[in-house]
Amino acid sequence: MINSLYVHIPFCKKKCLYCDFNSYVRLDIQDDYIKALLTEIKRINQSKFKTIFIGGGTPTILSISNLKKLLSELKKFNADEFTVETNPGTLDDQKARILKEYGVNRISIGLQAWQNNLLERLGRIHRVEDFLISYEMLKKIGFSNINIDLMFGIPNQTMSNWVQTIENVLKLNPSHVSCYSLIIEEGTLYYEMYEKNQLTLIDEDTERQMYYYAVESLNKKGIKRYEISNFSKEGYECSHNITYWMDEEYIGVGAGAHSYVQNKRFSNYKNIDRYIEGIYLRNAIEESEVIETYDEMSEFMFMGLRMTKGIEKERFLKRFNKDVYDVYGDKINILKQKNLIIDDGKNIMLTDKGIDISNQVFINFLK
Amino acid sequence: MTSKRQEKIRNFCIIAHIDHGKSTLADRLIEATGTLTKREMEDQVLDTMELEKERGITIKSQAVRLVYSDSKGDEYILNLIDTPGHVDFNYEVSRSLAACEGAILVVDATQGIQAQTLANCYLALDHNLEIVPVINKIDLQSARPDEVKKEIEDIIGLDCSDAPLISAKVGIGIEEVLKAVIEKIPAPDGYIEGPLKALIFDSIYDPYKGVVCYVRIKDGTVKKGTRIKLMMTGKEYEVTEVGIFRPSFMEVNELKAGDVGYITASIKNVRDARVGDTITEAERMAKEPLPGYRPAVPMVYSGFYPADSSKYEELKEALEKLQLNDAALTFEPETSVALGFGFRCGFLGLLHMEIVQERLEREYNLDLVTTAPSVIYKIILTNGNVIELTNPTNMPSPTEIDYMQEPIVNASIICPNDFVGAVMELCQGRRGTFKNMEYLETTRVMLHYEMPLNEIIYDFFDALKSRTKGYASLDYEFSGYKKSELVKLDILLNGDIVDALSQIVPEERAYYRGRAIAEKLKEVIPRQQFEIPIQAAIGSKIIARETIKALRKDVLAKCYGGDISRKKKLLEKQKEGKKRMKQIGTVEVPQEAFMSVLKVEQ
């Protein structure tokens, strides 16, 4: 049985300047899209998932009727953890209650920053006030497991901006926080601006200070880092995302969604029209990659090391029938010497220094 | 004495400045005489190397026999020898010229005389060749054939009154060129019966035939079975095949005085059949060899190292194979603390070096780290001994050195007179000594400078082009050694000298260069997990310092199910980039860093 199902909703009210996700401002075709998506979901031949994650885009931008259709189909899988992503300003009381009614038990909400000028700079559609309204509403309706997405390293963001953001978020006593360092991805508006020298990025030292500050202050409140960018109270880790980092199998449905099944990773058409057409022609796969054992080991390592607990040596041995030291011994020893990873006897994990330059660690585990 | 047969032979070459249309004219002549059919034709048909076609240059000499019938129906054999045009290959050019009685001088009607037009033309005059001036590119709007004709008359002193006005590209005036070749260029002479004397003007290695000698028969006759002797090496062989160029090899029964063709004789290595050597008969030796032979002497040295040190043997084999075909290339093993095992290679000049490097990378799929090229310095020690220094690392300690000498060249630069100031400034900045200046016409001048060769190999040509908007042309020839105040500039990374980055520089500019190199390396070397000091030093004295800050952050903030494939590719790319770096101590240095020290703005 595959534990996790990802459902993609590729619509947004407006594209944020830094966003490279598969999302479009094309709400007019949501009916057709949901129809195709339901068709794809109905083809899944298993009846239970431990986790479901509806991501986007902005899933809560869907119309009430589409939202209901989708949720009622997904409810059948009886997920233990059922997450929906949302953005402030796209969620009203009615929609929030529908989520609750259909068994959604985890909400991930994008705040990003506590300063309206920074939110504007990011191209967000909401203000801090909108976030607070949504958050309080969710609490009131009875959602106890809420993640707040934050971003640091935003152009023009100061250290004190970031301190203010973290302090205010902590006052809300969230169970889960994600803190992402801004990446200028190719194909985004930010990338174009960056290429034209219209973006002043903050320097690496300040950026790292922001990260260290977040780690420390969240930790003080019992919100512990369990992955490079993810923090939660004990027991509130996102099981769905842990599936990815454990390099377990998953199914993805919707435009551009990736699946990883039986050593094959494949993804649907990113383009909405092609996706819909593909579903009816019974082939919506755009890209497909066979994961050979060596790649699988690489991915096991570089995904697993993202987690604070790192990779479990015993798990490696069971999965690949080989000791991790037989495969990567030289590399691991050098990295240990450089104080980038440690081996506590059971697990191998990144050090704090290793996290800062984790790509330099990960490349050692590639072919 | 010219025999009846010889009367119908013309041996000639085409000389020109780069891009004036030499290879295109050769193509047209081949076409017009029906040597190749339209289907067999391709652009730059005589330039067989991929690199030659790509760069539009000729590296190896080539020859082709054309058969031409004039209006009276008389049939002529025209042997066209295509020569390299670059100053690096001057000696090869001179041997090709020595195989001819005449030369077509191609001058671009829009550009007029350029530095290599003159250099090649004087070379041809030195060989007593009859020169047939031809004005090319007359189809272009900006063509000014009358002015260019006058220029040739005034500067070179050639009569241009009936010089063909042609467009090799479009095919105008090709017949006139053929007529002029027959009318103006003398037929060859030489004794068909006399002892064999054949000039090797090029030799190539063919995997099936062995070494193929490209020859001009000056006296005598040669055929399959003839016992020959190479007069310089003294080695004897039996001829296995003689033939002509059509332009591919075509076997014939014999070659006689006046002919151009090829000889094979199971010779294993081009070193045994050097350009300029004379082939004679073993039993009936010529009294003396043809004049002008000199072995090719490298002028520029550089360290070639495999990026992956396990490829040392492959590099060695590749160099050996290239050497089969390139008598001017020398190499010997060398060890660098920084780069490991490699070879110190000697080249005729920078172009030659680039060509060898490119061929190793392309044809042999080798990833190379090359060090900054160096000239040969002469070091006169206090004990009176003289050392020839080709690798800066081997410079003795200053206390053992009495004085040093560096190679000097005579450089001539032609440019529009608007740029004279800029060119003079550049030359002076490169330690040039002004010799004189002549006006070629009212708007163009030729400047003569005496310059250290090492200034020319440091990016001089690019600097010259950029300061003159591409209008200047350069030619130079070695003139001798001169005493000079030179020091060894060392570069330290993380406190350790990187021997492969050491350079010999003029003392007066050491400080400036040291600083510029340190700055350049700071740009080129990526940030690493620790801080890296870069220092420039002369002896124990540090003259410049830069610091590469430690890498603070290299992390992917997000990596979920949909990101894995893409992020893995990014990591793979990063790893690939790292692989292309050379580990020096604890520092990873990109390959281009070793050459980048050359490209610091002076």
Side-chain angles (χ1 to χ4, degrees):
Chain A
M1 193 191 90
I2 292 170
N3 287 334
S4 297
L5 172 68
Y6 176 78
V7 182
H8 192 69
I9 306 299
F11 303 114
C12 273
K13 206 175 224 170
K14 182 178 162 241
K15 190 113 178 149
C16 298
L17 301 181
Y18 57 85
C19 173
D20 75 327
F21 285 122
N22 191 33
S23 73
Y24 310 87
V25 186
R26 285 190 64 188
L27 273 168
D28 52 312
I29 56 161
Q30 59 163 302
D31 291 353
D32 292 341
Y33 180 76
I34 293 295
K35 234 168 112 183
L37 183 60
L38 292 176
T39 310
E40 192 184 14
I41 293 170
K42 284 180 185 143
R43 286 183 195 151
I44 296 171
N45 53 9
Q46 71 175 54
S47 54
K48 158 86 186 166
F49 283 102
K50 281 190 180 158
T51 75
I52 297 177
F53 194 110
I54 310 180
T58 310
T60 49
I61 209 173
L62 291 176
S63 68
I64 302 266
S65 68
N66 281 329
L67 200 58
K68 278 186 175 167
K69 278 184 206 161
L70 176 63
L71 291 172
S72 65
E73 192 62 41
L74 293 172
K75 195 173 190 298
K76 297 173 189 163
F77 294 117
N78 219 355
D80 306 321
E81 179 190 281
F82 190 176
T83 308
V84 172
E85 275 186 336
T86 187
N87 279 317
T90 63
L91 191 65
D92 54 22
D93 188 72
Q94 193 187 357
K95 282 186 188 172
R97 285 179 195 284
I98 291 168
L99 297 181
K100 185 83 191 153
E101 187 186 324
Y102 284 92
V104 173
N105 56 17
R106 187 174 181 273
I107 301 289
S108 177
I109 183 164
L111 164 63
Q112 316 310 350
W114 204 271
Q115 296 75 27
N116 285 332
N117 66 324
L118 290 181
L119 292 177
E120 262 170 52
R121 216 168 249 288
L122 289 169
R124 303 286 294 176
I125 54 162
H126 62 88
R127 299 170 64 80
V128 178
E129 297 75 27
D130 302 318
F131 163 77
L132 274 171
I133 294 168
S134 301
Y135 189 80
E136 292 308 331
M137 182 179 71
L138 288 164
K139 282 291 226 193
K140 209 175 84 196
I141 291 171
F143 286 102
S144 56
N145 189 358
I146 301 177
N147 164 55
I148 301 175
D149 267 354
L150 299 177
M151 211 180 256
F152 61 97
I154 305 166
N156 294 74
Q157 188 182 31
T158 63
M159 188 65 199
S160 58
N161 289 156
W162 180 238
V163 170
Q164 189 189 29
T165 300
I166 295 283
E167 278 179 355
N168 280 291
V169 164
L170 283 176
K171 278 181 202 157
L172 300 173
N173 191 25
S175 54
H176 193 290
V177 178
S178 301
C179 296
Y180 297 110
S181 169
L182 174 75
I183 304 174
I184 310 285
E185 299 275 6
E186 242 176 285
T188 62
L189 284 161
Y190 257 18
Y191 189 82
E192 279 174 39
M193 290 162 75
Y194 177 69
E195 293 282 282
K196 287 183 201 150
N197 272 328
Q198 292 165 352
L199 273 194
T200 342
L201 300 186
I202 68 167
D203 69 280
E204 284 185 8
D205 285 322
T206 313
E207 197 265 0
R208 280 297 95 185
Q209 290 310 317
M210 288 178 173
Y211 181 67
Y212 302 150
Y213 175 80
V215 173
E216 199 186 334
S217 37
L218 291 169
N219 189 49
K220 271 189 204 151
K221 297 277 179 181
I223 304 172
K224 298 204 169 120
R225 177 171 68 198
Y226 69 98
E227 190 259 3
I228 292 176
S229 307
N230 284 280
F231 305 78
S232 82
K233 291 186 178 171
E234 221 182 303
Y236 284 89
E237 296 84 4
C238 176
S239 310
H240 183 86
N241 289 336
I242 287 174
T243 304
Y244 303 134
W245 300 319
M246 297 280 275
D247 200 36
E248 304 278 1
E249 293 182 323
Y250 48 87
I251 289 173
V253 291
H258 287 64
S259 301
Y260 180 36
V261 179
Q262 290 175 349
N263 288 84
K264 234 174 149 187
R265 192 164 41 242
F266 49 93
S267 59
N268 286 338
Y269 284 115
K270 293 182 87 172
N271 177 287
I272 297 178
D273 303 311
R274 295 197 68 179
Y275 164 74
I276 294 173
E277 187 191 42
I279 287 300
Y280 297 123
L281 294 172
R282 291 199 157 258
N283 183 10
I285 293 174
E286 181 167 23
E287 283 172 44
S288 174
E289 182 189 7
V290 174
I291 309 297
E292 308 285 356
T293 308
Y294 200 96
D295 282 315
E296 192 184 336
M297 288 182 186
S298 302
E299 291 172 11
F300 181 94
M301 295 303 287
F302 79 73
M303 292 303 282
L305 284 170
R306 295 189 65 85
M307 295 184 289
T308 305
K309 70 177 173 78
I311 62 114
E312 199 187 320
K313 291 191 282 185
E314 189 63 28
R315 234 186 113 234
F316 189 98
L317 181 67
K318 273 196 190 138
R319 176 145 167 186
F320 300 109
N321 237 337
K322 265 185 194 156
D323 193 289
V324 66
Y325 277 86
D326 288 342
V327 184
Y328 297 117
D330 295 351
K331 312 272 187 190
I332 293 172
N333 288 327
I334 292 171
L335 292 167
K336 279 204 280 199
Q337 270 169 26
K338 289 185 177 170
N339 192 30
L340 296 173
I341 59 173
I342 40 175
D343 179 342
D344 70 359
K346 212 169 147 247
N347 288 32
I348 296 173
M349 64 210 78
L350 293 174
T351 61
D352 283 350
K353 190 181 168 199
I355 289 176
D356 287 341
I357 51 172
S358 47
N359 290 346
Q360 308 261 329
V361 175
F362 296 163
I363 57 175
N364 288 285
F365 300 108
L366 297 179
K367 208 177 319 184
Chain B
M1 169 207 118
T2 301
S3 70
K4 264 245 159 359
R5 179 180 173 276
Q6 287 167 339
E7 271 171 22
K8 300 287 185 213
I9 298 177
R10 299 292 182 272
N11 298 318
F12 69 103
C13 54
I14 307 177
I15 53 181
H17 188 73
I18 187 160
D19 285 341
H20 279 200
K22 184 165 72 86
S23 296
T24 316
L25 177 58
D27 289 350
R28 287 299 93 76
L29 295 177
I30 291 167
E31 238 173 47
T33 52
T35 308
L36 289 178
T37 63
K38 269 260 187 271
R39 192 176 53 79
E40 293 166 310
M41 253 335 264
E42 53 181 318
D43 283 352
Q44 269 185 273
V45 70
L46 293 181
D47 292 335
T48 44
M49 247 187 266
E50 188 189 340
L51 211 60
E52 292 181 312
K53 284 204 160 70
E54 216 175 85
R55 293 193 169 201
I57 53 172
T58 304
I59 301 167
K60 292 293 277 185
S61 296
Q62 261 295 351
V64 59
R65 172 185 284 209
L66 314 172
V67 180
Y68 173 70
S69 304
D70 70 3
S71 48
K72 287 177 262 163
D74 285 343
E75 208 169 72
Y76 287 87
I77 287 169
L78 311 181
N79 289 308
L80 162 60
I81 298 175
D82 192 19
T83 63
H86 193 271
V87 50
D88 279 7
F89 304 105
N90 257 351
Y91 176 67
E92 281 72 7
V93 178
S94 84
R95 292 308 83 202
S96 295
L97 295 179
C100 300
E101 279 75 38
I104 300 177
L105 173 69
V106 180
V107 183
D108 184 322
T110 67
Q111 289 190 8
I113 291 178
Q114 295 295 327
Q116 281 157 28
T117 317
L118 279 184
N120 289 327
C121 190
Y122 290 141
L123 210 53
L125 288 169
D126 284 349
H127 288 88
N128 292 319
L129 298 196
E130 183 65 36
I131 296 179
V132 179
V134 161
I135 316 295
N136 192 19
K137 305 197 188 179
I138 56 145
D139 58 312
L140 295 183
Q141 281 266 308
S142 51
R144 40 185 184 90
D146 291 339
E147 283 169 50
V148 172
K149 274 162 89 171
K150 188 162 182 310
E151 210 176 272
I152 299 171
E153 287 179 342
D154 292 350
I155 297 164
I156 311 174
L158 292 172
D159 176 14
C160 283
S161 53
D162 51 0
L165 303 182
I166 70 160
S167 165
K169 192 170 146 226
V170 183
I172 303 169
I174 306 305
E175 193 66 23
E176 279 86 294
V177 176
L178 288 164
K179 270 187 202 141
V181 166
I182 291 181
E183 281 163 19
K184 299 215 165 144
I185 295 176
D189 53 14
Y191 301 97
I192 290 169
E193 304 77 23
L196 176 66
K197 261 191 191 179
L199 170 70
I200 302 178
F201 63 86
D202 204 352
S203 58
I204 63 151
Y205 180 81
D206 180 286
Y208 302 105
K209 297 181 193 289
V211 173
V212 181
C213 303
Y214 289 27
V215 294
R216 159 68 197 275
I217 313 291
K218 292 284 189 178
D219 286 316
T221 303
V222 63
K223 54 183 151 196
K224 188 173 173 176
T226 308
R227 283 291 303 168
I228 54 166
K229 181 173 183 146
L230 280 98
M231 296 186 80
M232 284 303 146
T233 61
K235 291 190 177 167
E236 293 184 14
Y237 303 91
E238 189 176 304
V239 172
T240 51
E241 183 179 325
V242 300
I244 56 168
F245 307 102
R246 289 292 288 162
S248 48
F249 300 133
M250 183 175 144
E251 189 170 356
V252 295
N253 288 332
E254 54 184 11
L255 294 174
K256 290 181 176 166
D259 279 339
V260 170
Y262 68 89
I263 298 175
T264 65
S266 310
I267 304 171
K268 294 280 179 293
N269 192 312
V270 283
R271 266 149 214 280
D272 295 328
R274 291 210 180 229
V275 172
D277 201 351
T278 304
I279 298 175
T280 188
E281 284 153 272
E283 315 299 330
R284 194 167 61 125
M285 264 181 67
K287 283 203 182 67
E288 52 197 29
L290 295 160
Y293 172 80
R294 67 176 166 85
V297 187
M299 299 280 277
V300 172
Y301 283 82
S302 166
F304 277 33
Y305 292 83
D308 172 356
S309 46
S310 68
K311 298 272 172 75
Y312 174 82
E313 278 301 319
E314 278 176 51
L315 174 59
K316 186 177 166 207
E317 277 167 29
L319 281 166
E320 278 166 356
K321 276 189 195 148
L322 282 188
Q323 207 181 39
L324 283 177
N325 224 341
D326 184 349
L329 169 68
T330 65
F331 63 91
E332 53 184 69
E334 139 181 303
T335 319
S336 152
V337 180
L339 301 177
F341 293 104
F343 297 93
R344 176 106 328 217
C345 303
F347 307 97
L348 296 170
L350 277 194
L351 178 71
H352 186 210
M353 170 175 148
E354 278 174 38
I355 288 164
V356 171
Q357 185 184 347
E358 268 196 59
R359 292 190 65 189
L360 287 170
E361 290 185 341
R362 276 189 202 191
E363 294 168 32
Y364 298 91
N365 211 6
L366 288 161
D367 209 356
L368 295 178
V369 179
T370 57
T371 65
S374 168
V375 300
I376 309 166
Y377 298 96
K378 284 192 178 156
I379 303 180
I380 292 79
L381 299 175
T382 46
N383 67 11
N385 289 349
V386 178
I387 309 179
E388 291 201 343
L389 185 74
T390 58
N391 180 352
T393 316
N394 302 335
M395 178 142 146
S397 106
T399 54
E400 293 172 42
I401 298 174
D402 185 2
Y403 63 93
M404 287 177 71
Q405 290 183 327
E406 65 179 323
I408 303 291
V409 298
N410 288 323
S412 27
I413 297 163
I414 294 180
C415 68
N417 56 1
D418 297 354
F419 297 111
V420 166
V423 171
M424 287 180 126
E425 196 184 30
L426 174 67
C427 292
Q428 266 148 26
R430 300 287 182 113
R431 298 187 291 142
T433 309
F434 177 77
K435 287 290 170 196
N436 66 56
M437 178 167 104
E438 336 166 22
Y439 270 86
L440 300 183
E441 51 184 323
T442 49
T443 55
R444 284 197 322 143
V445 296
M446 174 143 89
L447 292 156
H448 295 278
Y449 269 89
E450 196 179 88
M451 285 179 72
L453 178 61
N454 88 350
E455 297 289 345
I456 290 196
I457 66 173
Y458 285 152
D459 219 17
F460 180 75
F461 193 56
D462 287 345
L464 181 66
K465 283 281 181 193
S466 75
R467 283 178 193 224
T468 58
K469 299 192 173 141
Y471 281 116
S473 59
L474 164 76
D475 192 74
Y476 59 87
E477 58 180 6
F478 176 68
S479 73
Y481 273 83
K482 256 196 176 169
K483 189 173 168 182
S484 189
E485 298 300 325
L486 300 162
V487 291
K488 183 173 131 206
L489 177 66
D490 288 321
I491 301 294
L492 292 80
L493 281 184
N494 216 13
D496 298 323
I497 291 184
V498 180
D499 56 0
L501 289 172
S502 295
Q503 290 186 28
I504 305 291
V505 298
E507 192 173 15
E508 50 184 295
R509 291 234 303 285
Y511 177 76
Y512 175 79
R513 268 197 84 81
R515 209 173 46 193
I517 290 171
E519 281 167 15
K520 185 80 190 182
L521 287 173
K522 187 184 175 184
E523 267 173 50
V524 179
I525 300 174
R527 293 170 70 175
Q528 301 181 22
Q529 289 160 26
F530 45 88
E531 192 175 278
I532 306 163
I534 305 171
Q535 293 159 301
I538 298 170
S540 56
K541 191 172 147 220
I542 305 292
I543 57 166
R545 184 191 160 110
E546 291 284 337
T547 306
I548 302 172
K549 289 212 297 180
L551 177 69
R552 290 302 318 278
K553 179 201 157 198
D554 184 10
V555 52
L556 298 170
K558 281 188 185 192
C559 198
Y560 298 110
D563 302 316
I564 304 174
S565 295
R566 201 162 49 94
K567 300 295 186 194
K568 190 172 69 183
K569 278 199 188 95
L570 284 178
L571 289 172
E572 273 162 0
K573 218 166 130 190
Q574 189 172 349
K575 182 171 182 144
E576 213 39 57
K578 231 173 146 72
K579 260 197 210 152
R580 288 185 59 89
M581 301 226 213
K582 207 72 194 171
Q583 182 92 28
I584 297 181
T586 48
V587 185
E588 282 165 345
V589 181
Q591 293 170 26
E592 61 268 26
F594 299 93
M595 282 300 275
S596 75
V597 297
L598 265 192
K599 311 240 161 170
V600 296
E601 193 43 48
Q602 304 254 342

